[in-house]
Amino acid sequence: MQTSDTDVRRWTTSTVHTDMWADPDDDPREGGGAPVTDERGALLDALRHFRLTLRMKCEGLDAGQLARRSVPPSTMSLLGLIRHMAEDERHFRRLAGEDAPRIYRTPDDREAEWTGAVADPAVVEEAWARWREEAGLTDRFLAAAPDLGAPLPDGGQLRELLTMQITEYARHCGHADLLRERVDGRVGQ
């Protein structure tokens, strides 16, 4: 069911803080990761946190809700964000030197991850599967990297690239906050 902007009311499942997504004890981002004892652990925990945030912001929505665009003329949607971050996981590894061709983007459609985010359950299923696969490949790539100071083909270091990846997730999680609130009014951190 499509709702108008005036039909959407803010809500949350949190009973402790009404501006939070969930009660702290129910938030899957709290705990569950490896203990943070060093730079690598801190960076990997931040990446885990933002990946979980993106997943949480999309949970419970159907294909139509996930594909709902933000505001004209933007092509941004939650489904587009899932596809974009799958593409970005691959881009991360490409910048680190792996042969990882683009998934969605083509020379004819540079915004295919967004424009192809249509209200079709098969597109949603494929996007989630692709995102999980690409994130898993990135995790394996990082686990095999002995040193975050390792030089990259462009002369930078792996730690800089990982920080950029975390920043990309954080930026888009902010978009996901607003997109989700626009879709059904759910708010939170």
Side-chain angles (χ1 to χ4, degrees):
M1 177 177 91
Q2 182 77 6
T3 59
S4 72
D5 293 339
T6 58
D7 295 335
V8 176
R9 300 285 183 260
R10 299 182 90 210
W11 66 280
T12 181
T13 62
S14 179
T15 59
V16 177
H17 304 287
T18 59
D19 63 334
M20 294 179 73
W21 185 262
D23 288 329
D25 291 343
D26 298 329
D27 191 332
R29 297 169 299 181
E30 301 302 322
V36 175
T37 59
D38 60 4
E39 175 192 31
R40 177 184 287 270
L43 292 171
L44 294 177
D45 191 58
L47 182 60
R48 180 189 72 84
H49 175 91
F50 287 118
R51 284 177 176 163
L52 280 169
T53 299
L54 178 62
R55 192 187 81 211
M56 289 169 57
K57 295 300 175 168
C58 297
E59 67 188 14
L61 299 177
D62 63 29
Q65 291 170 313
L66 286 169
R68 185 171 179 194
R69 303 281 167 83
S70 58
V71 291
S74 176
T75 57
M76 188 177 284
S77 66
L78 288 166
L79 180 55
L81 281 175
I82 298 164
R83 290 164 53 99
H84 176 72
M85 292 315 298
E87 188 81 69
D88 202 62
E89 292 279 355
R90 186 170 275 223
H91 182 67
F92 168 89
R93 296 189 318 276
R94 189 169 44 254
L95 290 175
E98 187 176 287
D99 181 21
R102 295 190 184 280
I103 304 167
Y104 301 109
R105 184 183 288 190
T106 68
D108 295 332
D109 189 353
R110 293 184 40 81
E111 292 194 5
E113 64 259 45
W114 307 104
T115 59
V118 296
D120 178 339
V123 172
V124 172
E125 186 177 325
E126 184 277 333
W128 278 121
R130 177 63 76 157
W131 178 71
R132 284 189 298 273
E133 177 184 358
E134 296 300 330
L137 289 168
T138 298
D139 289 346
R140 286 190 286 287
F141 178 90
L142 288 167
D147 178 14
L148 293 180
L152 299 174
D154 70 357
Q157 294 182 346
L158 186 55
R159 72 173 39 88
E160 295 166 336
L161 187 56
L162 181 53
T163 301
M164 286 172 36
Q165 182 72 354
I166 294 164
T167 302
E168 182 76 358
Y169 266 102
R171 175 176 175 253
H172 288 309
C173 283
H175 294 132
D177 282 337
L178 297 172
L179 288 162
R180 179 62 189 253
E181 189 172 355
R182 179 163 165 66
V183 167
D184 74 350
R186 186 151 184 202
V187 298
Q189 80 288 8

